[in-house]
Amino acid sequence: MAKAVSHQDRDVILRVRDIEVGFGTKKILKGLDLDVYSGEILGFVGGSGSGKSVLTRAILDLVPRQAGIIEIFGIDYDEANPDTKLAIDRNIGVLFQHGALFSALTVKENVQVPMREYYELSQPLQDELAAVKLELVGLPLDALNKYPSELSGGMIKRAALARALALDPDIVFLDEPTSGLDPISAADFDELIADLSETLGLTVFMVTHDLDSLQAVCDRIAVLRHGKVLVNGPLSAMLEVEDEWVRSYFRGKRAQLGAIDGGHDHGDSTKSPMASPRPSS
Amino acid sequence: MTANPAYHLLMEDEDAQPVGQLVVTERGDTLHLEASGDWTLRTVELLDGKIRKLEEITAKAISVDISAVTEMDTSGAWLIERLRRRLLERGIELDVAPLADTSRGRGLVSVLKAHKIDVDQALAGSPGFSFLAPLRILGEMTLQAWRDFIMACNILGACIQGSQLKASNRSSIRATAIISQLDQMGRQAVPVIGVMSLLIGGILAQQSAYQLKFFGEELLTVDLVGILLLREIGVLLTAIMVAGRTGSAITAEIGMMKQREEIDALQVMGLNAVGVLILPRLIALLIALPILTFLADLAGLLGAIIVCFLYVGITPDQFLAAFETGVGGEPFIVGLVKAPFMALVIGLVATIEGLKVGGSAESLGKRTTESVVRAIFIVIFMDGVFAIFFASIGF
């Protein structure tokens, strides 16, 4: 997962400009700017209640915003005609924090929902494709005919990821993908995301609290603070930021602990990740 | 980096995009396939048939060239990979070139090659129809009815004996909970039940008066409506209304609490779920339904009085006099006696169905429906049993 960090020569897949979102009199996002480059894995961090989920939901047009422009695939979403919007929606996959699988449908049917709605495919082919997707996200195939209530937390995340990838989108939004998973499952999930990003050419926008995830898979990290992106760049850049919250986030107790344990969790790094950030190319 | 595939997908008209193509050429014993165009979800349905035909082909060697494919997603890659597998099962090697294509999509073929995808499992469908199926369903229903009955007995038993078995010193009967439930089940139901009974009383009076007019016995309307309303209709319709209004609410509340593990939370706190959730609702129902029945009786009689006066000219004084001699208090008592039993049935059915709610949203909806339907059915059935009972004791 060594990718170029200089982004000048890369396509911007998602461009967010001057976004303002507020509820009542409380402003959550105050003129936020953000670029997501094609093919990268962007980790988005911020304190609880700082508006990470609000930003994701604003980008996905799930919460109204007071101001700002969102350009995805180079197209202004607000200005797009319905057909273009549909094409954009088809190219976006979302993994919600709690999976948001349809509880009345089996895993197989969940994965097939977008296929069925957008394309005319025969049932045997749909079944095969659902199996392919489940295999890609690492779910055992006996989960195909299970209902979401019969799955464990980790399996729900994987099944939801399979559904998000059903139409082979170009960009996926992951809302705390490793929350609620044990460290081993979380590391597996990180690896899965990195693998998929590479093989499917996915761009990943990941909201996370998991320092291990940030360290293991993210090409770039953006920090949300006071309703704006305070800083963005590789992990090494985070360690030089003189903001109280950023400092305690990346160099606090949990981070130290992560540094001790992190060494053998991820095969690619034997040194302490905090002391030596990943090479930048 | 080449232009992102999504960009041209968005720019171009759907019809203008290249369709997936597969050209087959035969060179001696070797079949050569040349794939081109888009191999994506949009086009695979057409390609699927072609590929399936190729799976049956016999040739010494087959090769496929995917270098001319403009775009390929997992579905397109899967078609190639499936062809490779099917041919391999019959001992034919499929040569995919170039396999290690680095561009997006085409490399997927080699990714899929590394996975074991068990298609049979995906295709395993539901068991077919059997002539024994109706019998099996009947058996399951009978067993379920028996289990429900046992569960109802358990809940009832737990209400009487178990609800005080908890660590706190507070009284096992929670007055505030009962009063708040009474407010929801009772007071808030008064307008709808009142208006409904008023209308039913009026309609009954109008219909009976119309028929009795032919015999010149309009005054018998009072007896007919009075007995019918007080003995059967008043309590029955109130119970049905409460089953629909309160029974469904109880099932949904308890079901949702079960889904969100709130009932488990109560249990681990040492609180008794039956005492905290079910007992207050049952007690409130036991109080509310007789009161609502009483109000429904009054409203129904008022409706009858109004219609009798306007339609056949029986004055309220005449009505009340005829009521006293012809109807008396007996039907009123009979109706009210039934109310608590019906309340108990509604409450028990609602809690049983609520506790049966599983993990899905569908299950919550199904259980709520079931709760109302069963409660209404049992209430009507019980009403019949009561009719026989009262007839045999000559009341």
mmCIF file of all heavy atoms in Angstrom, chain A residues 12 38 73 75 87 90 103 108 120-122 128-129 132-133 135-136 141 144 167-168 170 200, chain B residues 4 6-7 10 14 41 45 52 73-75 78 82 104 108 115-119 122 360-361:
data_model
loop_
_atom_site.group_PDB
_atom_site.id
_atom_site.type_symbol
_atom_site.label_atom_id
_atom_site.label_comp_id
_atom_site.label_asym_id
_atom_site.label_seq_id
_atom_site.Cartn_x
_atom_site.Cartn_y
_atom_site.Cartn_z
ATOM 1 N N VAL A 12 -9.029 14.736 -8.557
ATOM 2 C CA VAL A 12 -9.831 14.951 -7.355
ATOM 3 C C VAL A 12 -11.189 14.305 -7.613
ATOM 4 O O VAL A 12 -11.903 14.693 -8.530
ATOM 5 C CB VAL A 12 -9.991 16.449 -7.068
ATOM 6 C CG1 VAL A 12 -10.915 16.659 -5.893
ATOM 7 C CG2 VAL A 12 -8.636 17.070 -6.793
ATOM 8 N N SER A 38 -8.485 10.554 -6.191
ATOM 9 C CA SER A 38 -8.871 9.268 -6.749
ATOM 10 C C SER A 38 -7.884 8.183 -6.325
ATOM 11 O O SER A 38 -6.677 8.348 -6.437
ATOM 12 C CB SER A 38 -8.907 9.394 -8.267
ATOM 13 O OG SER A 38 -9.450 8.237 -8.812
ATOM 14 N N PHE A 73 -16.967 13.335 -8.745
ATOM 15 C CA PHE A 73 -16.578 12.945 -10.110
ATOM 16 C C PHE A 73 -16.535 14.178 -11.019
ATOM 17 O O PHE A 73 -16.850 14.095 -12.198
ATOM 18 C CB PHE A 73 -17.559 11.921 -10.705
ATOM 19 C CG PHE A 73 -17.829 10.738 -9.826
ATOM 20 C CD1 PHE A 73 -19.123 10.424 -9.437
ATOM 21 C CD2 PHE A 73 -16.774 9.952 -9.380
ATOM 22 C CE1 PHE A 73 -19.358 9.333 -8.627
ATOM 23 C CE2 PHE A 73 -17.013 8.858 -8.565
ATOM 24 C CZ PHE A 73 -18.295 8.548 -8.184
ATOM 25 N N ILE A 75 -18.516 16.711 -10.924
ATOM 26 C CA ILE A 75 -19.841 17.249 -11.236
ATOM 27 C C ILE A 75 -20.453 17.832 -9.958
ATOM 28 O O ILE A 75 -20.387 17.227 -8.894
ATOM 29 C CB ILE A 75 -20.755 16.134 -11.783
ATOM 30 C CG1 ILE A 75 -20.217 15.621 -13.111
ATOM 31 C CG2 ILE A 75 -22.184 16.626 -11.934
ATOM 32 C CD1 ILE A 75 -20.790 14.314 -13.531
ATOM 33 N N ALA A 87 -26.642 8.252 -11.874
ATOM 34 C CA ALA A 87 -25.348 7.665 -12.235
ATOM 35 C C ALA A 87 -24.330 7.884 -11.120
ATOM 36 O O ALA A 87 -23.518 7.011 -10.823
ATOM 37 C CB ALA A 87 -24.852 8.272 -13.538
ATOM 38 N N ARG A 90 -25.058 5.543 -8.232
ATOM 39 C CA ARG A 90 -24.632 4.176 -8.532
ATOM 40 C C ARG A 90 -23.144 4.001 -8.317
ATOM 41 O O ARG A 90 -22.669 2.904 -8.123
ATOM 42 C CB ARG A 90 -24.957 3.864 -10.000
ATOM 43 C CG ARG A 90 -26.262 3.150 -10.162
ATOM 44 C CD ARG A 90 -26.383 2.624 -11.552
ATOM 45 N NE ARG A 90 -26.537 3.707 -12.521
ATOM 46 C CZ ARG A 90 -26.946 3.516 -13.772
ATOM 47 N NH1 ARG A 90 -27.212 2.304 -14.182
ATOM 48 N NH2 ARG A 90 -27.078 4.525 -14.596
ATOM 49 N N SER A 103 -33.290 -5.700 7.462
ATOM 50 C CA SER A 103 -33.427 -6.826 8.383
ATOM 51 C C SER A 103 -34.378 -7.893 7.861
ATOM 52 O O SER A 103 -34.322 -9.035 8.285
ATOM 53 C CB SER A 103 -33.887 -6.328 9.743
ATOM 54 O OG SER A 103 -35.093 -5.617 9.631
ATOM 55 N N LYS A 108 -27.783 -12.441 1.055
ATOM 56 C CA LYS A 108 -27.751 -12.524 -0.407
ATOM 57 C C LYS A 108 -28.701 -11.491 -1.023
ATOM 58 O O LYS A 108 -28.312 -10.748 -1.929
ATOM 59 C CB LYS A 108 -28.160 -13.942 -0.825
ATOM 60 C CG LYS A 108 -28.116 -14.197 -2.302
ATOM 61 C CD LYS A 108 -28.278 -15.677 -2.611
ATOM 62 C CE LYS A 108 -29.745 -16.056 -2.634
ATOM 63 N NZ LYS A 108 -29.921 -17.493 -2.961
ATOM 64 N N GLU A 120 -30.901 -5.318 -15.286
ATOM 65 C CA GLU A 120 -31.682 -6.530 -15.514
ATOM 66 C C GLU A 120 -30.732 -7.707 -15.611
ATOM 67 O O GLU A 120 -30.039 -7.899 -16.606
ATOM 68 C CB GLU A 120 -32.500 -6.374 -16.794
ATOM 69 C CG GLU A 120 -33.738 -5.549 -16.551
ATOM 70 C CD GLU A 120 -34.576 -5.399 -17.785
ATOM 71 O OE1 GLU A 120 -34.498 -6.272 -18.654
ATOM 72 O OE2 GLU A 120 -35.295 -4.390 -17.864
ATOM 73 N N LEU A 121 -30.683 -8.476 -14.548
ATOM 74 C CA LEU A 121 -29.791 -9.625 -14.505
ATOM 75 C C LEU A 121 -30.617 -10.845 -14.133
ATOM 76 O O LEU A 121 -31.542 -10.751 -13.341
ATOM 77 C CB LEU A 121 -28.701 -9.417 -13.449
ATOM 78 C CG LEU A 121 -27.787 -8.197 -13.617
ATOM 79 C CD1 LEU A 121 -26.901 -8.050 -12.401
ATOM 80 C CD2 LEU A 121 -26.936 -8.350 -14.854
ATOM 81 N N SER A 122 -30.258 -11.993 -14.705
ATOM 82 C CA SER A 122 -31.011 -13.203 -14.385
ATOM 83 C C SER A 122 -30.702 -13.619 -12.944
ATOM 84 O O SER A 122 -29.660 -13.277 -12.398
ATOM 85 C CB SER A 122 -30.626 -14.322 -15.340
ATOM 86 O OG SER A 122 -29.292 -14.683 -15.130
ATOM 87 N N GLU A 128 -24.787 -15.764 -8.287
ATOM 88 C CA GLU A 128 -23.349 -15.965 -8.420
ATOM 89 C C GLU A 128 -22.591 -14.703 -8.043
ATOM 90 O O GLU A 128 -21.594 -14.752 -7.319
ATOM 91 C CB GLU A 128 -23.001 -16.330 -9.870
ATOM 92 C CG GLU A 128 -23.400 -17.735 -10.257
ATOM 93 C CD GLU A 128 -23.206 -17.992 -11.744
ATOM 94 O OE1 GLU A 128 -22.445 -17.248 -12.389
ATOM 95 O OE2 GLU A 128 -23.825 -18.923 -12.248
ATOM 96 N N LEU A 129 -23.096 -13.561 -8.516
ATOM 97 C CA LEU A 129 -22.398 -12.307 -8.236
ATOM 98 C C LEU A 129 -22.427 -11.992 -6.741
ATOM 99 O O LEU A 129 -21.443 -11.508 -6.189
ATOM 100 C CB LEU A 129 -23.016 -11.155 -9.040
ATOM 101 C CG LEU A 129 -22.764 -11.222 -10.549
ATOM 102 C CD1 LEU A 129 -23.478 -10.088 -11.251
ATOM 103 C CD2 LEU A 129 -21.278 -11.174 -10.849
ATOM 104 N N VAL A 132 -19.775 -13.966 -5.262
ATOM 105 C CA VAL A 132 -18.460 -13.376 -5.555
ATOM 106 C C VAL A 132 -18.170 -12.235 -4.587
ATOM 107 O O VAL A 132 -17.095 -12.135 -4.009
ATOM 108 C CB VAL A 132 -18.411 -12.877 -7.016
ATOM 109 C CG1 VAL A 132 -17.154 -12.062 -7.259
ATOM 110 C CG2 VAL A 132 -18.484 -14.034 -7.987
ATOM 111 N N LYS A 133 -19.174 -11.375 -4.377
ATOM 112 C CA LYS A 133 -18.966 -10.222 -3.491
ATOM 113 C C LYS A 133 -18.688 -10.681 -2.064
ATOM 114 O O LYS A 133 -17.814 -10.142 -1.388
ATOM 115 C CB LYS A 133 -20.205 -9.312 -3.485
ATOM 116 C CG LYS A 133 -20.558 -8.744 -4.818
ATOM 117 C CD LYS A 133 -19.625 -7.652 -5.253
ATOM 118 C CE LYS A 133 -19.989 -7.242 -6.672
ATOM 119 N NZ LYS A 133 -19.042 -6.333 -7.269
ATOM 120 N N GLU A 135 -17.439 -13.461 -1.111
ATOM 121 C CA GLU A 135 -16.104 -14.049 -1.069
ATOM 122 C C GLU A 135 -15.050 -12.943 -1.010
ATOM 123 O O GLU A 135 -14.096 -13.017 -0.244
ATOM 124 C CB GLU A 135 -15.926 -14.933 -2.303
ATOM 125 C CG GLU A 135 -14.552 -15.498 -2.489
ATOM 126 C CD GLU A 135 -14.182 -16.540 -1.453
ATOM 127 O OE1 GLU A 135 -15.061 -17.322 -1.075
ATOM 128 O OE2 GLU A 135 -13.003 -16.558 -1.031
ATOM 129 N N LEU A 136 -15.268 -11.884 -1.784
ATOM 130 C CA LEU A 136 -14.301 -10.787 -1.811
ATOM 131 C C LEU A 136 -14.181 -10.103 -0.455
ATOM 132 O O LEU A 136 -13.107 -9.677 -0.073
ATOM 133 C CB LEU A 136 -14.687 -9.747 -2.877
ATOM 134 C CG LEU A 136 -14.382 -10.105 -4.333
ATOM 135 C CD1 LEU A 136 -14.868 -8.997 -5.240
ATOM 136 C CD2 LEU A 136 -12.899 -10.340 -4.537
ATOM 137 N N LEU A 141 -19.489 -18.561 2.930
ATOM 138 C CA LEU A 141 -20.632 -18.557 2.018
ATOM 139 C C LEU A 141 -21.909 -19.087 2.651
ATOM 140 O O LEU A 141 -22.997 -18.905 2.108
ATOM 141 C CB LEU A 141 -20.297 -19.337 0.750
ATOM 142 C CG LEU A 141 -19.365 -18.540 -0.175
ATOM 143 C CD1 LEU A 141 -18.801 -19.425 -1.252
ATOM 144 C CD2 LEU A 141 -20.089 -17.363 -0.799
ATOM 145 N N LEU A 144 -24.721 -16.568 3.228
ATOM 146 C CA LEU A 144 -25.552 -16.066 2.130
ATOM 147 C C LEU A 144 -27.035 -16.057 2.447
ATOM 148 O O LEU A 144 -27.743 -15.087 2.185
ATOM 149 C CB LEU A 144 -25.346 -16.963 0.907
ATOM 150 C CG LEU A 144 -24.260 -16.565 -0.080
ATOM 151 C CD1 LEU A 144 -24.109 -17.644 -1.114
ATOM 152 C CD2 LEU A 144 -24.621 -15.253 -0.741
ATOM 153 N N LEU A 167 -22.327 -2.680 -6.743
ATOM 154 C CA LEU A 167 -22.303 -2.133 -8.095
ATOM 155 C C LEU A 167 -20.904 -1.696 -8.520
ATOM 156 O O LEU A 167 -20.752 -0.928 -9.458
ATOM 157 C CB LEU A 167 -23.262 -0.945 -8.203
ATOM 158 C CG LEU A 167 -24.738 -1.238 -7.940
ATOM 159 C CD1 LEU A 167 -25.556 0.029 -8.105
ATOM 160 C CD2 LEU A 167 -25.245 -2.306 -8.875
ATOM 161 N N ASP A 168 -19.876 -2.171 -7.817
ATOM 162 C CA ASP A 168 -18.500 -1.757 -8.094
ATOM 163 C C ASP A 168 -18.374 -0.237 -8.150
ATOM 164 O O ASP A 168 -18.030 0.328 -9.190
ATOM 165 C CB ASP A 168 -17.999 -2.359 -9.416
ATOM 166 C CG ASP A 168 -17.631 -3.811 -9.254
ATOM 167 O OD1 ASP A 168 -18.412 -4.520 -8.594
ATOM 168 O OD2 ASP A 168 -16.591 -4.236 -9.761
ATOM 169 N N ASP A 170 -16.982 3.661 -7.477
ATOM 170 C CA ASP A 170 -15.642 4.228 -7.539
ATOM 171 C C ASP A 170 -15.203 4.749 -6.189
ATOM 172 O O ASP A 170 -14.018 4.831 -5.904
ATOM 173 C CB ASP A 170 -15.613 5.380 -8.554
ATOM 174 C CG ASP A 170 -15.716 4.855 -9.960
ATOM 175 O OD1 ASP A 170 -14.822 4.107 -10.353
ATOM 176 O OD2 ASP A 170 -16.714 5.160 -10.639
ATOM 177 N N LEU A 200 -9.851 -3.180 -6.652
ATOM 178 C CA LEU A 200 -10.996 -2.590 -7.341
ATOM 179 C C LEU A 200 -10.747 -1.134 -7.718
ATOM 180 O O LEU A 200 -11.617 -0.475 -8.264
ATOM 181 C CB LEU A 200 -12.253 -2.682 -6.475
ATOM 182 C CG LEU A 200 -12.679 -4.072 -6.005
ATOM 183 C CD1 LEU A 200 -13.879 -3.974 -5.098
ATOM 184 C CD2 LEU A 200 -12.998 -4.960 -7.190
ATOM 185 N N ASN B 4 -10.767 8.617 -14.962
ATOM 186 C CA ASN B 4 -11.555 7.680 -14.171
ATOM 187 C C ASN B 4 -12.737 7.170 -14.984
ATOM 188 O O ASN B 4 -13.424 7.945 -15.638
ATOM 189 C CB ASN B 4 -12.058 8.408 -12.927
ATOM 190 C CG ASN B 4 -12.551 7.437 -11.903
ATOM 191 O OD1 ASN B 4 -13.436 6.643 -12.200
ATOM 192 N ND2 ASN B 4 -11.978 7.473 -10.732
ATOM 193 N N ALA B 6 -15.599 6.379 -14.230
ATOM 194 C CA ALA B 6 -16.884 6.965 -13.855
ATOM 195 C C ALA B 6 -17.165 8.233 -14.652
ATOM 196 O O ALA B 6 -18.299 8.549 -14.953
ATOM 197 C CB ALA B 6 -16.888 7.277 -12.385
ATOM 198 N N TYR B 7 -16.077 8.938 -14.984
ATOM 199 C CA TYR B 7 -16.270 10.224 -15.641
ATOM 200 C C TYR B 7 -16.959 10.044 -16.981
ATOM 201 O O TYR B 7 -17.907 10.731 -17.306
ATOM 202 C CB TYR B 7 -14.920 10.920 -15.833
ATOM 203 C CG TYR B 7 -14.296 11.374 -14.538
ATOM 204 C CD1 TYR B 7 -14.039 10.457 -13.538
ATOM 205 C CD2 TYR B 7 -13.977 12.696 -14.313
ATOM 206 C CE1 TYR B 7 -13.471 10.869 -12.347
ATOM 207 C CE2 TYR B 7 -13.406 13.107 -13.125
ATOM 208 C CZ TYR B 7 -13.155 12.187 -12.149
ATOM 209 O OH TYR B 7 -12.612 12.583 -10.998
ATOM 210 N N LEU B 10 -20.544 9.116 -16.756
ATOM 211 C CA LEU B 10 -21.464 10.200 -16.436
ATOM 212 C C LEU B 10 -21.676 11.114 -17.636
ATOM 213 O O LEU B 10 -22.732 11.705 -17.797
ATOM 214 C CB LEU B 10 -20.917 11.002 -15.267
ATOM 215 C CG LEU B 10 -20.825 10.232 -13.952
ATOM 216 C CD1 LEU B 10 -20.105 11.070 -12.918
ATOM 217 C CD2 LEU B 10 -22.201 9.861 -13.465
ATOM 218 N N GLU B 14 -26.239 6.588 -22.042
ATOM 219 C CA GLU B 14 -26.145 5.145 -21.802
ATOM 220 C C GLU B 14 -26.064 4.362 -23.114
ATOM 221 O O GLU B 14 -25.264 3.440 -23.241
ATOM 222 C CB GLU B 14 -27.363 4.659 -21.015
ATOM 223 C CG GLU B 14 -27.320 5.005 -19.543
ATOM 224 C CD GLU B 14 -27.066 3.780 -18.686
ATOM 225 O OE1 GLU B 14 -27.724 2.748 -18.936
ATOM 226 O OE2 GLU B 14 -26.220 3.845 -17.799
ATOM 227 N N LEU B 41 -21.755 -4.616 -15.136
ATOM 228 C CA LEU B 41 -23.107 -5.030 -14.749
ATOM 229 C C LEU B 41 -24.133 -4.660 -15.815
ATOM 230 O O LEU B 41 -25.120 -5.343 -16.010
ATOM 231 C CB LEU B 41 -23.494 -4.368 -13.427
ATOM 232 C CG LEU B 41 -23.024 -5.056 -12.151
ATOM 233 C CD1 LEU B 41 -23.263 -4.148 -10.965
ATOM 234 C CD2 LEU B 41 -23.753 -6.373 -11.960
ATOM 235 N N GLU B 45 -25.535 -9.294 -18.688
ATOM 236 C CA GLU B 45 -26.682 -10.172 -18.908
ATOM 237 C C GLU B 45 -26.649 -10.776 -20.315
ATOM 238 O O GLU B 45 -26.909 -11.960 -20.507
ATOM 239 C CB GLU B 45 -27.978 -9.391 -18.680
ATOM 240 C CG GLU B 45 -29.252 -10.193 -18.835
ATOM 241 C CD GLU B 45 -29.360 -11.360 -17.848
ATOM 242 O OE1 GLU B 45 -28.748 -11.294 -16.778
ATOM 243 O OE2 GLU B 45 -30.052 -12.337 -18.173
ATOM 244 N N ARG B 52 -22.243 -19.056 -21.181
ATOM 245 C CA ARG B 52 -22.795 -20.340 -20.748
ATOM 246 C C ARG B 52 -22.776 -21.368 -21.884
ATOM 247 O O ARG B 52 -22.561 -22.552 -21.652
ATOM 248 C CB ARG B 52 -24.218 -20.160 -20.227
ATOM 249 C CG ARG B 52 -24.261 -19.769 -18.763
ATOM 250 C CD ARG B 52 -25.669 -19.663 -18.242
ATOM 251 N NE ARG B 52 -25.732 -18.715 -17.125
ATOM 252 C CZ ARG B 52 -25.419 -19.026 -15.870
ATOM 253 N NH1 ARG B 52 -25.043 -20.238 -15.564
ATOM 254 N NH2 ARG B 52 -25.486 -18.127 -14.915
ATOM 255 N N ASP B 73 -15.840 -4.808 -14.589
ATOM 256 C CA ASP B 73 -16.027 -4.806 -13.141
ATOM 257 C C ASP B 73 -16.078 -6.256 -12.660
ATOM 258 O O ASP B 73 -15.825 -7.181 -13.427
ATOM 259 C CB ASP B 73 -17.271 -4.003 -12.735
ATOM 260 C CG ASP B 73 -18.549 -4.618 -13.242
ATOM 261 O OD1 ASP B 73 -18.507 -5.726 -13.778
ATOM 262 O OD2 ASP B 73 -19.606 -3.980 -13.096
ATOM 263 N N THR B 74 -16.405 -6.452 -11.401
ATOM 264 C CA THR B 74 -16.357 -7.810 -10.855
ATOM 265 C C THR B 74 -17.263 -8.758 -11.618
ATOM 266 O O THR B 74 -16.936 -9.922 -11.779
ATOM 267 C CB THR B 74 -16.782 -7.843 -9.371
ATOM 268 O OG1 THR B 74 -17.197 -6.563 -8.989
ATOM 269 C CG2 THR B 74 -15.667 -8.330 -8.509
ATOM 270 N N SER B 75 -18.416 -8.255 -12.081
ATOM 271 C CA SER B 75 -19.341 -9.154 -12.760
ATOM 272 C C SER B 75 -18.738 -9.651 -14.078
ATOM 273 O O SER B 75 -18.837 -10.839 -14.401
ATOM 274 C CB SER B 75 -20.676 -8.456 -13.002
ATOM 275 O OG SER B 75 -20.486 -7.310 -13.773
ATOM 276 N N TRP B 78 -16.023 -12.039 -13.346
ATOM 277 C CA TRP B 78 -16.585 -13.309 -12.876
ATOM 278 C C TRP B 78 -16.987 -14.208 -14.046
ATOM 279 O O TRP B 78 -16.778 -15.418 -14.008
ATOM 280 C CB TRP B 78 -17.773 -13.065 -11.951
ATOM 281 C CG TRP B 78 -18.595 -14.290 -11.702
ATOM 282 C CD1 TRP B 78 -19.881 -14.491 -12.051
ATOM 283 C CD2 TRP B 78 -18.165 -15.496 -11.060
ATOM 284 N NE1 TRP B 78 -20.292 -15.739 -11.674
ATOM 285 C CE2 TRP B 78 -19.247 -16.390 -11.058
ATOM 286 C CE3 TRP B 78 -16.962 -15.916 -10.493
ATOM 287 C CZ2 TRP B 78 -19.188 -17.665 -10.518
ATOM 288 C CZ3 TRP B 78 -16.890 -17.193 -9.943
ATOM 289 C CH2 TRP B 78 -17.990 -18.045 -9.964
ATOM 290 N N ARG B 82 -15.631 -17.789 -14.311
ATOM 291 C CA ARG B 82 -16.550 -18.928 -14.266
ATOM 292 C C ARG B 82 -16.320 -19.848 -15.457
ATOM 293 O O ARG B 82 -16.310 -21.075 -15.313
ATOM 294 C CB ARG B 82 -17.992 -18.423 -14.275
ATOM 295 C CG ARG B 82 -19.004 -19.511 -13.908
ATOM 296 C CD ARG B 82 -20.404 -18.998 -14.036
ATOM 297 N NE ARG B 82 -20.683 -18.578 -15.402
ATOM 298 C CZ ARG B 82 -21.731 -17.841 -15.761
ATOM 299 N NH1 ARG B 82 -22.573 -17.413 -14.852
ATOM 300 N NH2 ARG B 82 -21.916 -17.506 -17.012
ATOM 301 N N ARG B 104 -7.349 -1.025 -14.048
ATOM 302 C CA ARG B 104 -8.474 -1.326 -13.192
ATOM 303 C C ARG B 104 -9.409 -2.307 -13.891
ATOM 304 O O ARG B 104 -9.671 -2.207 -15.072
ATOM 305 C CB ARG B 104 -9.240 -0.048 -12.882
ATOM 306 C CG ARG B 104 -10.355 -0.336 -11.932
ATOM 307 C CD ARG B 104 -11.291 0.814 -11.739
ATOM 308 N NE ARG B 104 -12.279 0.356 -10.769
ATOM 309 C CZ ARG B 104 -13.544 0.689 -10.814
ATOM 310 N NH1 ARG B 104 -13.980 1.483 -11.727
ATOM 311 N NH2 ARG B 104 -14.362 0.230 -9.907
ATOM 312 N N LEU B 108 -8.895 -7.857 -12.160
ATOM 313 C CA LEU B 108 -9.849 -8.545 -11.285
ATOM 314 C C LEU B 108 -9.943 -10.031 -11.607
ATOM 315 O O LEU B 108 -10.214 -10.846 -10.736
ATOM 316 C CB LEU B 108 -11.236 -7.928 -11.448
ATOM 317 C CG LEU B 108 -11.523 -6.686 -10.640
ATOM 318 C CD1 LEU B 108 -12.859 -6.118 -11.047
ATOM 319 C CD2 LEU B 108 -11.513 -7.003 -9.167
ATOM 320 N N HIS B 115 -9.682 -16.781 -5.364
ATOM 321 C CA HIS B 115 -10.718 -17.076 -4.371
ATOM 322 C C HIS B 115 -11.441 -18.375 -4.711
ATOM 323 O O HIS B 115 -11.600 -18.723 -5.870
ATOM 324 C CB HIS B 115 -11.750 -15.948 -4.338
ATOM 325 C CG HIS B 115 -11.241 -14.728 -3.652
ATOM 326 N ND1 HIS B 115 -11.201 -14.601 -2.291
ATOM 327 C CD2 HIS B 115 -10.756 -13.562 -4.142
ATOM 328 C CE1 HIS B 115 -10.709 -13.414 -1.968
ATOM 329 N NE2 HIS B 115 -10.429 -12.762 -3.072
ATOM 330 N N LYS B 116 -11.889 -19.042 -3.670
ATOM 331 C CA LYS B 116 -12.739 -20.217 -3.889
ATOM 332 C C LYS B 116 -14.181 -19.749 -3.785
ATOM 333 O O LYS B 116 -14.634 -19.402 -2.702
ATOM 334 C CB LYS B 116 -12.523 -21.277 -2.802
ATOM 335 C CG LYS B 116 -11.129 -21.833 -2.722
ATOM 336 C CD LYS B 116 -11.149 -23.093 -1.886
ATOM 337 C CE LYS B 116 -11.523 -22.838 -0.448
ATOM 338 N NZ LYS B 116 -10.407 -22.733 0.450
ATOM 339 N N ILE B 117 -14.855 -19.661 -4.872
ATOM 340 C CA ILE B 117 -16.239 -19.201 -4.804
ATOM 341 C C ILE B 117 -17.148 -20.387 -5.079
ATOM 342 O O ILE B 117 -17.145 -20.958 -6.165
ATOM 343 C CB ILE B 117 -16.491 -18.060 -5.802
ATOM 344 C CG1 ILE B 117 -15.619 -16.869 -5.409
ATOM 345 C CG2 ILE B 117 -17.951 -17.657 -5.795
ATOM 346 C CD1 ILE B 117 -15.302 -15.934 -6.523
ATOM 347 N N ASP B 118 -17.883 -20.754 -4.063
ATOM 348 C CA ASP B 118 -18.741 -21.925 -4.181
ATOM 349 C C ASP B 118 -20.116 -21.490 -4.682
ATOM 350 O O ASP B 118 -20.942 -21.013 -3.921
ATOM 351 C CB ASP B 118 -18.848 -22.618 -2.826
ATOM 352 C CG ASP B 118 -19.574 -23.932 -2.941
ATOM 353 O OD1 ASP B 118 -19.995 -24.275 -4.058
ATOM 354 O OD2 ASP B 118 -19.715 -24.611 -1.920
ATOM 355 N N VAL B 119 -20.302 -21.636 -5.978
ATOM 356 C CA VAL B 119 -21.528 -21.143 -6.593
ATOM 357 C C VAL B 119 -22.737 -21.969 -6.160
ATOM 358 O O VAL B 119 -23.837 -21.449 -5.978
ATOM 359 C CB VAL B 119 -21.393 -21.160 -8.126
ATOM 360 C CG1 VAL B 119 -22.661 -20.682 -8.779
ATOM 361 C CG2 VAL B 119 -20.238 -20.285 -8.541
ATOM 362 N N ALA B 122 -24.485 -20.640 -3.299
ATOM 363 C CA ALA B 122 -25.265 -19.442 -3.584
ATOM 364 C C ALA B 122 -26.592 -19.797 -4.230
ATOM 365 O O ALA B 122 -27.602 -19.142 -4.027
ATOM 366 C CB ALA B 122 -24.477 -18.523 -4.500
ATOM 367 N N SER B 360 -35.727 -8.708 13.265
ATOM 368 C CA SER B 360 -35.955 -7.875 12.084
ATOM 369 C C SER B 360 -37.143 -6.936 12.243
ATOM 370 O O SER B 360 -38.008 -7.136 13.092
ATOM 371 C CB SER B 360 -36.188 -8.765 10.865
ATOM 372 O OG SER B 360 -37.424 -9.412 10.964
ATOM 373 N N ALA B 361 -37.148 -5.900 11.405
ATOM 374 C CA ALA B 361 -38.261 -4.955 11.400
ATOM 375 C C ALA B 361 -39.543 -5.676 10.970
ATOM 376 O O ALA B 361 -40.630 -5.394 11.471
ATOM 377 C CB ALA B 361 -37.957 -3.805 10.446
#
